[in-house]
Amino acid sequence: MERDGVLPITGGSPSAPRGLHDSLAMNAARSGYRVFSANSTAASTELAKKITERLGAELGKSVVYQETNGETRVEIKESVRGQDIFIIQTIPRDVNTAVMELLIMAYALKTSCARNIIGVIPYFPYSKQSKMRKRGSIVCKLLASMLAKAGLTHIITMDLHQKEIQGFFSFPVDNLRASPFLLQYIQEEIPDYRNAVIVAKSPGAAKRAQSYAERLRLGLAVIHGEAQCTEQDMDDGRHSPPMLKNATVHPGLELPLMMAKEKPPITVVGDVGGRIAIIVDDIIDDVESFVAAAEILKERGAYKIFVMATHGLLSADAPRLIEESSIDEVVVTNTVPHEVQKLQCPKIKTVDISLILSEAIRRIHNGESMAYLFRNITVDD
């Protein structure tokens, strides 16, 4: 019934105007998802291309570039209104530029009325700065707040340096694991892996190494006494309370004397003689500690040495140091682009993890459970 020149609108009714049917069909087509890459360099978009190929989708149309004055500019070239948007951002060597690209793209999508903005950040930057150190700051918490302010509503990442980082965010975080892919590589690509032993290059990495050893049914060894510069207490000239001349101590205040830390001689707890040694960790950046660990393992009788890590940052002279070291092979995933380093050092091998990232995107968009992606994953992994 027509009233005041207005036609009643009913779903599927033949009385509805033809233009309305077309509009509903168009809205249904637009209510899907789009995948964008926030990187301005071609090398950093390779992972995004692999993910979209697995999803059977195309990368969203956008332009990301740096102006002559160094500012980052992002332009979205298609409508994203009402859609779920996934921003894939791999972190190259220029970390700060990559962070700004991600923030600016997220804000551009937010102001373009995207329904949900999910950041796919395989390697989360500043994850090592997640603890307060003297006069420092918890930069990882700052970055989490910036991402939320820019408009992100969800994050997919992989092997956070500290799992507690998830508590910094005010929105959901899915911390995927690369261990199934690395374990598969060990089983398929390392001959006689049954004669291997999983090695933690420091006591702090023992839990991760134990998780690998238990799933592979292998032995475990731990290198103890290695210098850990990131954790060592260094004198920064600060005194609390300030030291004053002729200062008097309150007669009732007797604090126990603090014993200075003294690192023991480097020892290997566990038998590696005549075995393949597989060092596991989450990040391999400055490789000096890995090279030193490999030398120790060689002295203890290991005849082949592999290094397994999720994130291959491989900064500075890492390729040269690896090539000249006792390490036989370094296996990392493609969470961080490292094609240049592979050209410099043939010992570096890559494991593709685009499969699990694409499946995570599909499940989040369809509202499916993520539990399948965490099957057989231990708390310490």
Side-chain angles (χ1 to χ4, degrees):
M1 178 180 178
E2 183 175 349
R3 184 176 62 185
D4 297 332
V6 178
L7 291 174
I9 299 175
T10 57
S13 170
S15 62
R18 179 180 179 84
L20 178 61
H21 284 301
D22 295 340
S23 178
L24 291 173
M26 186 179 298
N27 288 337
R30 287 178 177 174
S31 63
Y33 70 93
R34 299 292 292 164
V35 180
F36 287 84
S37 173
N39 289 110
S40 58
T41 56
S44 300
T45 60
E46 290 301 317
L47 180 59
K49 291 178 181 177
K50 289 183 178 181
I51 291 173
T52 52
E53 286 176 6
R54 291 184 180 276
L55 291 169
E58 294 182 358
L59 274 176
K61 298 175 182 177
S62 64
V63 178
V64 183
Y65 62 96
Q66 274 68 50
E67 294 185 340
T68 53
N69 62 358
E71 293 182 356
T72 298
R73 183 176 290 273
V74 175
E75 298 175 5
I76 308 299
K77 297 294 187 179
E78 60 181 292
S79 175
V80 296
R81 184 178 298 272
Q83 295 193 43
D84 291 336
I85 304 299
F86 294 85
I87 307 175
I88 301 173
Q89 180 69 327
T90 52
I91 306 298
R93 290 190 176 186
D94 192 353
V95 177
N96 294 330
T97 297
V99 169
M100 285 305 300
E101 289 171 348
L102 176 60
L103 291 170
I104 294 172
M105 175 167 278
Y107 190 69
L109 292 165
K110 176 184 177 181
T111 55
S112 298
C113 300
R115 181 172 61 180
N116 292 306
I117 304 172
I118 300 96
V120 183
I121 315 171
Y123 168 65
F124 195 80
Y126 289 98
S127 58
K128 286 187 176 182
Q129 298 189 49
S130 59
K131 296 180 181 179
M132 177 65 76
R133 299 193 186 281
K134 298 189 176 179
R135 292 194 185 93
S137 61
I138 306 176
V139 183
C140 196
K141 168 63 176 173
L142 171 64
L143 181 55
S145 301
M146 291 167 65
L147 292 173
K149 191 68 176 178
L152 263 68
T153 59
H154 196 144
I155 276 183
I156 303 171
T157 187
M158 181 166 282
D159 282 335
L160 285 170
H161 188 57
Q162 300 288 342
K163 297 178 182 63
E164 294 79 4
I165 290 173
Q166 296 174 77
F168 293 162
F169 294 87
S170 58
F171 49 77
V173 177
D174 284 309
N175 182 28
L176 303 176
R177 306 294 196 276
S179 57
F181 297 90
L182 297 175
L183 290 169
Q184 183 181 19
Y185 184 94
I186 292 172
Q187 293 172 320
E188 296 179 356
E189 302 295 333
I190 299 180
D192 195 23
Y193 81 92
R194 290 292 181 188
N195 187 37
V197 59
I198 304 299
V199 180
K201 70 178 181 68
S202 66
K207 287 186 176 181
R208 180 185 300 273
Q210 181 182 358
S211 174
Y212 276 67
E214 289 175 350
R215 281 184 283 176
L216 290 169
R217 278 69 172 173
L218 298 177
L220 176 67
V222 180
I223 299 176
H224 182 48
E226 178 189 13
Q228 301 176 23
C229 298
T230 57
E231 298 290 338
Q232 91 180 41
D233 291 329
M234 297 167 55
D235 183 15
D236 67 347
R238 179 177 60 173
H239 301 280
S240 180
M243 295 184 66
L244 301 173
K245 293 182 178 180
N246 302 324
T248 59
V249 180
H250 192 279
L253 183 63
E254 294 184 4
L255 297 176
L257 181 65
M258 297 295 292
M259 298 289 292
K261 291 198 299 185
E262 183 177 346
K263 292 182 172 62
I266 295 177
T267 57
V268 179
V269 181
D271 182 21
V272 298
R275 303 272 191 98
I276 300 172
I278 303 176
I279 305 172
V280 297
D281 212 335
D282 62 329
I283 299 173
I284 176 168
D285 189 2
D286 297 325
V287 300
E288 285 86 354
S289 60
F290 291 92
V291 172
E295 294 295 333
I296 296 166
L297 293 170
K298 276 288 186 183
E299 293 174 2
R300 299 298 192 275
Y303 72 90
K304 212 165 189 182
I305 299 169
F306 291 81
V307 174
M308 299 275 176
T310 303
H311 310 296
L313 305 185
L314 302 170
S315 302
D317 292 332
R320 179 182 61 81
L321 294 173
I322 293 171
E323 187 66 26
E324 297 173 356
S325 72
S326 302
I327 299 172
D328 293 280
E329 199 167 278
V330 173
V331 183
V332 294
T333 71
N334 55 345
T335 57
V336 177
H338 52 264
E339 294 303 316
V340 174
Q341 290 90 328
K342 287 179 70 175
L343 293 175
Q344 298 171 347
C345 177
K347 291 182 179 180
I348 301 172
K349 309 295 180 184
T350 307
V351 175
D352 182 24
I353 43 80
S354 62
L355 174 63
I356 192 170
L357 292 174
S358 59
E359 181 63 14
I361 290 173
R362 189 192 68 80
R363 286 174 176 269
I364 289 174
H365 173 65
N366 293 333
E368 300 177 18
S369 171
M370 298 284 283
Y372 179 77
L373 303 182
F374 293 93
R375 68 194 190 284
N376 300 326
I377 297 295
T378 64
V379 176
D380 297 326
D381 191 2

